Amino acid sequence: MEDRMMIDIKHIKKMCQKVIDYKDIDHIVIPVQEQKTIIAKADLLLDQTFVFDKPWDMERCSIPYKLDILNWETICHDDEEWCFMLNRMEFLDTLINAYIISKDTRYIQKAKYYIIHWINSHVRIVSQPSTRTLDTAIRMMSMFEAVPYLLHYSVLKDEELELIFTSIYHQALYLKENYQPKYTLSNWGSIQVGILYIILDIYPNQGHLYSWVEQEIQQQLQIQIYEDGLQWEQSTMYHVEVLNILLKVIYYKRVFNQICNQYIIDTAEKMSEALYQLSMPNNEIECFGDTDRVTISAVMERASYLFSNGILKYFGNAEFDAENMYYFGACANQEYKNLPLLQPALQSFDGYASGVFTTRSCWGSSANFTMFTNGSLGSGHGHSDNLHVSLCMNGKPVLIDSGRYTYREDHKERIRLKSVAAHNSLVIDDHPSCIPSGSWTYSDFTIPTKTYVKHDGKIHYYEGSVISKNPLQIWTRKLVTIDSGIWFICDEVKCDGTHQIKQYFHFDPMYHEIPKNIWTYEGDMHAEEQFCSFIYNEQMVHQVGIVSHDFTDTLNVITTFHQPEYFVEDIDVIQAGETIVSKDIVNAKQFIVSRTENYTIAVFHQEIFSGRKIMYLNGVPFHAKVIVIHEKDGNKTLYVMRT
């Protein structure tokens, strides 16, 4: 790009008209159930009062804040993220949608006012809080997507149109000039370059820069997106942020009749399919890494439309929400509505590359659901969550991830919520294996091993280990989960000498007390109230069960969760039909489902290296390390989950 460029108004208008026609703006209808909320938020914006509470706002702030004097460098609540959110200008759609609903010109004129005011306040684009590169890219997209509406509704003069696209051009220059090598391995890079890939279609004769953008985005995706479809940063939130930009890239390439890199299309569809596998039964994502608990419906709607994928539609609503109507238009909504609704076939996701695993009993809202994590650290958005387990019973969250709350370096909750103890994990001698040292850094991190997984019908097995130092320790977690609502967690710890461990179990805030009818544990337990955070800048009180154990050299401890009507009891494993095997070697529990049905689970902690090797459990002979016996109406079925 040259520093100076003549803006061809006719060409700009032609490209904007393509957007207007493709979206069929005149036929956009905002869902009735959203109209009242949109108008209320738009009224606040008329008064220069800002609230950032969209589902995918990376740093939400639901507390209204009024700027009597519009200053784009304002930092609110002692959190510079507020300034970043302000300068992304993702509130423009609220004002324009309010106009579509009401035909009150104040709203659309205010949208134009914000755009022009920002541009006039930034005659030169220099580094400051309002021009951070990530937010600059998002702001360019916000302006770009608003302009076709402003043109269609005859709000913009030619000189204003020229001013806007000259500014967008210079912001694009600024992004390229300030692009850093580290962005290739970051959602920052994907968002910036993805938006440039869209914007450059507006400006002719940018072949050299366009080639760099196309090459860079493919390189980003090749190293950022694992084979299993998850983005490397160990945060579902930022997986979605990258995905959202890719979906817009694909959309606008269609609008402008441009060829989209096939690798982008294939990657985005793979990311969409991985995303729904991570959703809980209520269609929300767990707070994995720096992630808020947010519904995936809107993302699935736009992905379903772009890929004509009825399985993705299964996780959307019947028609587009207001945001999707604004971004993709009436024609896209109609195409989406016409798609068939298809239920996914696979109920388990084995993310060997990312270290994220899920399984569920069905695809209904009352499913039993399990999430098991054992990946690499990822970026600064990753948490100390190796061998963490989240679970939902009958569609309701039981064990949870505690969330993120804030990015402020000076806030103690930031480091605590990233810690081992903020997850369903364990700590030896109050010295955690992973130590966050700041909002984005660690002073130590554990070494995860490859996770072993097996599925056999409705029975699932996960096994992972981490190796840590100070002192040298190996912690192995073995998890058996059964679709009917049984979770058998075996923690094996090896650490020379005498030590104490604390197991942490974080319960969903819906439990005002520790639930004793669904949980069995070994050791001394005490309950604490702690804060969790499902939404950025928001806290909730929840119950944490902390179970303590003293041990020398090795410890094997069993924890179970189960349906409240089930009964759990210990059961012995018999060696060669004669000798009861020590609990130091194997643990077994029987889950009584009814008078005629039960499940018995046995997990070995070490090899049987002396005596006869045949074992018996509940009268069934076997030779294996992990087994499940299902008995129903007197018939017994053996499942070998680990040989």
Side-chain angles (χ1 to χ4, degrees):
M1 276 182 164
E2 301 292 334
D3 285 343
R4 293 184 177 274
M5 179 181 184
M6 295 295 294
I7 301 298
D8 186 339
I9 295 296
K10 289 184 178 180
H11 175 73
I12 295 292
K13 286 184 174 179
K14 179 182 178 183
M15 299 299 281
C16 288
Q17 190 61 48
K18 286 186 177 182
V19 177
I20 294 166
D21 294 341
Y22 206 92
K23 291 186 178 183
D24 191 11
I25 286 178
D26 279 332
H27 291 96
I28 287 178
V29 178
I30 306 301
V32 174
Q33 64 271 22
E34 295 185 69
Q35 292 184 8
K36 186 176 180 181
T37 299
I38 290 170
I39 294 294
K41 291 181 179 180
D43 286 342
L44 290 175
L45 289 165
L46 290 179
D47 196 39
Q48 294 183 184
T49 300
F50 299 89
V51 178
F52 309 118
D53 62 354
K54 291 182 177 179
W56 295 106
D57 280 343
M58 283 181 270
E59 295 83 35
R60 285 209 253 178
C61 182
S62 58
I63 301 174
Y65 191 87
K66 181 179 180 180
L67 296 181
D68 292 316
I69 299 174
L70 185 55
N71 180 355
W72 298 100
E73 301 298 316
T74 302
I75 294 175
C76 181
H77 309 300
D78 295 320
D79 188 353
E80 62 181 359
E81 298 291 343
W82 195 93
C83 181
F84 303 150
M85 290 297 301
L86 174 69
N87 282 276
R88 292 170 188 172
M89 299 183 73
E90 292 180 295
F91 50 78
L92 293 175
D93 69 304
T94 300
L95 288 163
I96 293 170
N97 279 340
Y99 171 76
I100 292 172
I101 295 167
S102 67
K103 301 304 179 189
D104 186 334
T105 57
R106 293 179 302 159
Y107 297 122
I108 200 165
Q109 289 288 350
K110 193 68 175 182
K112 183 180 80 168
Y113 168 81
Y114 282 127
I115 295 171
I116 301 298
H117 189 283
W118 193 96
I119 292 170
N120 288 334
S121 302
H122 297 81
V123 178
R124 293 183 64 248
I125 311 296
V126 297
S127 180
Q128 54 190 334
S130 63
T131 59
R132 195 178 67 156
T133 55
L134 174 65
D135 317 306
T136 293
I138 297 171
R139 175 177 58 254
M140 290 165 58
M141 198 66 201
S142 297
M143 291 180 175
F144 169 75
E145 290 184 298
V147 167
Y149 288 94
L150 301 183
L151 275 175
H152 183 67
Y153 293 118
S154 305
V155 175
L156 279 182
K157 300 175 183 176
D158 282 0
E159 56 266 30
E160 292 170 330
L161 184 64
E162 182 177 5
L163 178 69
I164 293 170
F165 276 93
T166 300
S167 176
I168 291 175
Y169 168 75
H170 286 293
Q171 291 177 69
L173 272 180
Y174 175 78
L175 289 187
K176 180 61 172 70
E177 291 168 355
N178 290 275
Y179 194 82
Q180 300 179 36
K182 68 178 182 180
Y183 291 161
T184 301
L185 190 61
S186 170
N187 67 85
W188 278 45
S190 300
I191 293 170
Q192 291 178 64
V193 175
I195 288 171
L196 283 174
Y197 197 34
I198 297 169
I199 297 295
L200 286 176
D201 283 331
I202 296 292
Y203 301 95
N205 305 315
Q206 303 297 329
H208 179 73
L209 181 60
Y210 192 91
S211 296
W212 173 81
V213 165
E214 192 166 43
Q215 181 180 357
E216 175 66 14
I217 195 169
Q218 177 161 330
Q219 182 172 273
Q220 290 171 357
L221 298 181
Q222 286 173 339
I223 65 174
Q224 286 190 36
I225 310 303
Y226 289 125
E227 292 179 5
D228 54 36
L230 291 182
Q231 201 258 1
W232 83 283
E233 292 189 69
Q234 299 293 305
S235 163
T236 315
M237 189 90 180
Y238 291 90
H239 172 97
V240 173
E241 295 299 340
V242 173
L243 174 59
N244 276 333
I245 290 301
L246 298 183
L247 296 177
K248 286 192 177 183
V249 166
I250 296 166
Y251 174 76
Y252 278 102
K253 292 301 176 185
R254 292 184 186 178
V255 173
F256 298 136
N257 296 313
Q258 299 292 322
I259 297 173
C260 185
N261 187 316
Q262 188 62 41
Y263 191 84
I264 293 175
I265 298 172
D266 295 342
T267 301
E269 187 165 18
K270 183 166 66 173
M271 292 176 71
S272 302
E273 292 168 345
L275 176 61
Y276 75 69
Q277 292 283 1
L278 268 58
S279 65
M280 298 186 292
N282 62 2
N283 230 24
E284 293 179 341
I285 52 175
E286 173 63 300
C287 299
F288 172 55
D290 283 341
T291 297
D292 290 348
R293 192 182 281 186
V294 185
T295 179
I296 65 170
S297 298
V299 184
M300 291 294 99
E301 288 165 17
R302 60 191 74 144
S304 174
Y305 150 67
L306 287 168
F307 305 124
S308 300
N309 189 323
I311 293 176
L312 301 180
K313 185 179 180 179
Y314 185 85
F315 303 92
N317 296 309
E319 60 180 336
F320 281 178
D321 66 2
E323 280 192 42
N324 279 347
M325 288 290 285
Y326 174 84
Y327 291 129
F328 292 90
C331 289
N333 181 53
Q334 189 58 52
E335 288 185 35
Y336 170 77
K337 289 167 61 177
N338 291 339
L339 287 172
L341 185 67
L342 303 174
Q343 183 172 291
L346 295 176
Q347 294 173 196
S348 297
F349 174 80
D350 296 332
Y352 289 104
S354 62
V356 181
F357 305 84
T358 65
T359 191
R360 68 194 70 228
S361 58
C362 67
W363 283 106
S365 59
S366 59
N368 297 312
F369 169 85
T370 307
M371 183 175 185
F372 181 83
T373 59
N374 190 30
S376 60
L377 171 60
S379 74
H381 290 298
H383 288 197
S384 311
D385 53 16
N386 291 86
L387 308 187
H388 166 92
V389 177
S390 290
L391 69 89
C392 299
M393 188 183 298
N394 304 323
K396 305 294 185 182
V398 177
L399 290 183
I400 63 165
D401 190 304
S402 299
R404 59 172 176 163
Y405 181 60
T406 186
Y407 288 160
R408 286 175 53 182
E409 289 277 4
D410 62 340
H411 205 296
K412 65 181 182 180
E413 287 296 287
R414 172 58 173 165
I415 291 180
R416 184 185 73 81
L417 288 169
K418 293 188 73 172
S419 72
V420 174
H423 297 85
N424 301 315
S425 188
L426 62 81
V427 174
I428 299 179
D429 298 334
D430 292 322
H431 184 84
S433 56
C434 307
I435 305 175
S437 57
S439 188
W440 309 108
T441 57
Y442 282 80
S443 60
D444 200 5
F445 201 79
T446 193
I447 302 172
T449 66
K450 183 177 177 64
T451 302
Y452 175 90
V453 180
K454 183 175 180 179
H455 308 282
D456 193 342
K458 298 180 178 182
I459 301 171
H460 316 276
Y461 178 67
Y462 303 90
E463 179 183 317
S465 299
V466 293
I467 304 169
S468 309
K469 55 183 182 296
N470 299 322
L472 180 65
Q473 56 190 265
I474 300 174
W475 167 35
T476 300
R477 173 163 279 181
K478 301 174 179 179
L479 167 66
V480 179
T481 179
I482 301 172
D483 285 355
S484 60
I486 293 171
W487 292 265
F488 180 107
I489 302 171
C490 172
D491 288 317
E492 301 172 354
V493 181
K494 295 176 175 61
C495 188
D496 289 347
T498 299
H499 307 279
Q500 183 189 69
I501 71 163
K502 293 178 181 177
Q503 295 172 290
Y504 292 86
F505 297 94
H506 295 260
F507 290 88
D508 189 87
M510 75 173 184
Y511 294 100
H512 301 296
E513 297 180 349
I514 295 287
K516 297 180 180 178
N517 62 337
I518 63 170
W519 181 33
T520 69
Y521 57 87
E522 302 171 354
D524 298 320
M525 192 276 290
H526 76 276
E528 288 185 3
E529 283 191 349
Q530 295 182 5
F531 287 114
C532 62
S533 178
F534 296 156
I535 301 294
Y536 191 88
N537 272 328
E538 296 181 17
Q539 289 184 331
M540 300 175 69
V541 172
H542 75 135
Q543 300 293 322
V544 183
I546 304 173
V547 186
S548 300
H549 310 261
D550 296 315
F551 73 100
T552 300
D553 298 338
T554 62
L555 176 72
N556 308 309
V557 59
I558 307 300
T559 308
T560 72
F561 291 86
H562 52 84
Q563 299 284 359
E565 65 270 22
Y566 294 0
F567 178 75
V568 186
E569 61 183 6
D570 290 328
I571 190 168
D572 292 325
V573 175
I574 310 298
Q575 185 174 12
E578 300 172 351
T579 306
I580 296 175
V581 185
S582 166
K583 295 293 192 293
D584 293 332
I585 297 174
V586 63
N587 280 98
K589 291 189 181 286
Q590 188 170 77
F591 297 80
I592 310 296
V593 176
S594 69
R595 289 187 301 171
T596 60
E597 185 178 14
N598 64 75
Y599 288 91
T600 308
I601 300 172
V603 174
F604 280 78
H605 313 302
Q606 63 183 58
E607 291 285 343
I608 301 295
F609 55 85
S610 64
R612 296 174 181 174
K613 307 304 187 290
I614 190 166
M615 302 290 157
Y616 289 82
L617 180 63
N618 201 16
V620 178
F622 71 94
H623 178 77
K625 292 190 176 68
V626 179
I627 67 164
V628 178
I629 297 172
H630 180 211
E631 182 176 2
K632 188 173 184 180
D633 299 327
N635 299 312
K636 298 176 181 179
T637 304
L638 172 66
Y639 297 88
V640 176
M641 306 308 293
R642 184 77 148 110
T643 56

